[in-house]
Amino acid sequence: MAGIYIHIPFCHSKCAYCDFYSTPRQEAMSAYVPALLKEWEARHYELTEPITTVYIGGGTPSLLSPAMLSAITSVFAIPGVEEFTIEANPEDINEQWAKHITGSGINRVSLGIQSLVDKELSTVGRRHTAAEAIEAINILRDAGITEISGDLIYGLPEQTVNTWRYSLDTLVALGLPHISAYSLSYEEGTRLYARLLAGKLRETDEETVAEMYDYMTSTLRDAGYEHYEISNFAKPGHRARHNSSYWHFVPYLGLGPAAHSFDGKIRRVNKADLRGYITAINHGEKFYDEEDESPTDLFNDYIITGLRTMEGIDLADMESVFGRMNTDKFTNRCGPYIKAGKLQRTDGRIHFNEASWLISDGVLRELID
């Protein structure tokens, strides 16, 4: 199995917290889509396994016109694709858009909700309201789209434990099959980071973030969701298959500027330059940098991605891929953290316990070379 990621680097405007590659220069969209399809023609050979998932992300893919979206889906809605996801913003969703999606081959929508409190949405530059987010969910369902994922962020500026509870409880009550929830990070180069440095806002303290996290995990558990990855929760049978491929070393091809690819040994990273991308692709030129990973790099990646998941790392699988010596080294390093209760060893697997995912970065740094 293999996956395809398609990057749509256009937005209405840049959200204050976002460090993904995107641009408001929507006039380039008409030239971009043909270039994207040319890149696929030039690089499809990199995937040797059957394609089972496609993910259109961004940026804001819901900005694409129906004709542009059809040009993409007509190529990638191929036999064998089990999950075809598109990211969308609530303000872009109407009945016409939802109807177009249902006939396109796309069968899953990832909705960028982030909060259901209008003041919090405005603070970070989101263009929609809480009411529009709820209406978007209803429109998608009325069109027959049932696989809907809702994104939320906790630790937002001016967010309190009570407003976080309200957003989460409201989304849970809507019964979405999948919820992604991310702790806000202040990334260098974003407007939010600049405001933090200028003293115009304060970062949410660790105790409050921990309280929000604890409420989230207990509430979603009680509502029947599996906490299957550090930031992802799903009702049984509704895990995100495409994203899971990243965590399980499944090959994937990334198309578009700033997109990443991995064939099991080599990582390729497209340059983050829209104009340069269109020009290079139209001239048949390579537009990515290659990172031929060393055995140590691959081993570290295996640890970092595997421990993001509920199942963690299967030690028998690790040994079959990386050998007994590396596996013994890994388990020895895990020993103190297992003793401290931050990691667990269960049925031949090592994994974080749910409470320790919040401090996983510090532990991971000690487990890799």
Side-chain angles (χ1 to χ4, degrees):
M1 56 184 287
I4 299 172
Y5 173 78
I6 302 167
H7 190 62
I8 306 299
F10 304 100
C11 285
H12 294 289
S13 59
K14 193 84 167 178
C15 295
Y17 54 81
C18 180
D19 69 334
F20 293 132
Y21 178 68
S22 64
T23 174
R25 298 184 63 181
Q26 298 175 36
E27 69 276 6
M29 284 197 293
S30 59
Y32 178 69
V33 172
L36 190 73
L37 299 179
K38 285 182 181 179
E39 186 189 10
W40 164 247
E41 291 174 5
R43 298 184 61 193
H44 68 273
Y45 69 89
E46 293 176 25
L47 294 179
T48 58
E49 298 184 29
I51 297 165
T52 55
T53 65
V54 179
Y55 192 104
I56 306 177
T60 309
S62 50
L63 272 177
L64 293 172
S65 70
M68 292 175 186
L69 188 56
S70 291
I72 294 172
T73 56
S74 64
V75 172
F76 295 103
I78 55 181
V81 171
E82 300 167 355
E83 179 187 88
F84 196 152
T85 302
I86 186 169
E87 291 181 353
N89 280 355
E91 68 269 22
D92 295 327
I93 293 178
N94 54 41
E95 291 180 6
Q96 181 182 4
W97 188 89
K99 184 178 180 180
H100 181 78
I101 289 299
T102 59
S104 69
I106 292 171
N107 57 17
R108 184 174 182 273
V109 176
S110 180
L111 200 57
I113 297 169
Q114 316 313 357
S115 171
L116 287 169
V117 176
D118 287 344
K119 185 177 181 181
E120 295 169 4
L121 291 168
S122 176
T123 298
V124 295
R126 298 296 291 178
R127 293 167 55 91
H128 68 274
T129 65
E132 287 172 331
I134 293 171
E135 178 63 13
I137 293 170
N138 292 331
I139 289 172
L140 292 172
R141 283 177 163 163
D142 288 345
I145 300 169
T146 58
E147 290 299 320
I148 305 170
S149 177
D151 285 3
L152 290 176
I153 300 176
Y154 57 101
L156 290 167
E158 302 189 36
Q159 188 179 54
T160 67
V161 172
N162 285 336
T163 61
W164 167 241
R165 288 177 175 176
Y166 172 80
S167 289
L168 184 65
D169 290 349
T170 303
L171 200 59
V172 169
L174 290 167
L176 297 189
H178 191 281
I179 293 174
S180 298
Y182 305 94
S183 176
L184 178 68
S185 58
Y186 289 80
E187 302 294 342
E188 191 171 351
T190 64
R191 285 188 286 123
L192 211 58
Y193 182 78
R195 288 161 61 188
L196 181 67
L197 290 184
K200 295 181 179 180
L201 54 83
R202 290 188 302 173
E203 191 169 0
T204 307
D205 62 83
E206 291 181 1
E207 292 78 12
T208 300
V209 169
E211 187 175 351
M212 292 174 172
Y213 176 83
D214 289 344
Y215 182 79
M216 172 181 68
T217 54
S218 62
T219 298
L220 292 175
R221 186 187 313 115
D222 291 345
Y225 290 84
E226 298 176 309
H227 191 179
Y228 72 98
E229 192 269 344
I230 188 168
S231 301
N232 286 277
F233 302 79
K235 295 288 183 69
H238 296 278
R239 294 187 184 189
R241 299 184 189 183
H242 182 84
N243 289 342
S244 295
S245 69
Y246 299 146
W247 311 319
H248 294 105
F249 262 40
V250 174
Y252 57 91
L253 174 63
L255 304 174
H260 291 231
S261 305
F262 179 59
D263 64 6
K265 294 181 180 179
I266 298 173
R267 295 193 183 275
R268 297 178 174 91
V269 183
N270 284 2
K271 298 168 188 176
D273 176 0
L274 174 62
R275 291 295 183 185
Y277 172 84
I278 294 173
T279 300
I281 296 301
N282 284 336
H283 285 84
E285 299 170 0
K286 185 182 79 170
F287 198 68
Y288 56 78
D289 296 318
E290 284 193 357
E291 301 173 359
D292 195 352
E293 293 202 322
S294 68
T296 298
D297 292 333
L298 287 170
F299 187 54
N300 289 341
D301 288 348
Y302 183 92
I303 293 170
I304 292 169
T305 56
L307 287 178
R308 290 184 63 90
T309 65
M310 177 178 73
E311 290 82 7
I313 290 173
D314 184 325
L315 295 175
D317 182 69
M318 174 182 273
E319 185 172 338
S320 70
V321 176
F322 296 102
R324 181 64 178 272
M325 184 180 298
N326 281 320
T327 303
D328 287 345
K329 179 173 64 176
F330 170 71
T331 55
N332 288 336
R333 287 180 177 176
C334 290
Y337 297 101
I338 294 172
K339 187 175 182 180
K342 295 177 180 178
L343 288 172
Q344 293 180 318
R345 183 167 181 168
T346 309
D347 297 329
R349 294 177 177 270
I350 290 179
H351 56 95
F352 277 104
N353 63 48
E354 192 173 48
S356 296
W357 257 331
L358 265 183
I359 50 89
S360 60
D361 286 351
V363 176
L364 288 171
R365 282 193 291 268
E366 299 300 319
L367 298 181
I368 63 176
D369 291 325

